[in-house]
Amino acid sequence: MTGNGNDIFSLPQIRQFFPHEWVAIAIRETDADGLPSAGVVLGHDAQEQFVWPALALGEIDDLVYVFHTGR
């Protein structure tokens, strides 16, 4: 996964690029139910505690979604 840090990726793409990791995204798209469906990756790591500091990389108005890509 490459880009300038502003690339928008769907949740399936993020799961493919970062299997079994915690990921924080700035939400850019939602589905019909209002749930996150795509966003800008702010941070990712196998350990959850290393992802939360990435929230500071987003804009102040960003809605952020933190999730695990595994089961």
Side-chain angles (χ1 to χ4, degrees), residues 1-3 5-14 17-18 25 28-29 37-41:
M1 187 179 237
T2 60
N6 293 316
D7 293 330
I8 298 173
F9 296 97
S10 69
L11 293 190
Q13 288 174 312
I14 293 168
F17 291 129
F18 306 111
I25 65 168
R28 296 294 183 257
E29 297 176 13
S37 62
V40 175
V41 176

Side-chain angles (χ1 to χ4, degrees), residues 5-11 14 23-31 33-43 54-55 57-67:
N6 293 316
D7 293 330
I8 298 173
F9 296 97
S10 69
L11 293 190
I14 293 168
V23 181
I25 65 168
I27 300 169
R28 296 294 183 257
E29 297 176 13
T30 57
D31 64 14
D33 295 320
L35 299 173
S37 62
V40 175
V41 176
L42 300 175
L55 274 58
L57 300 174
E59 298 295 322
I60 197 159
D61 293 336
D62 279 343
L63 291 177
V64 177
Y65 180 45
V66 177
F67 62 101

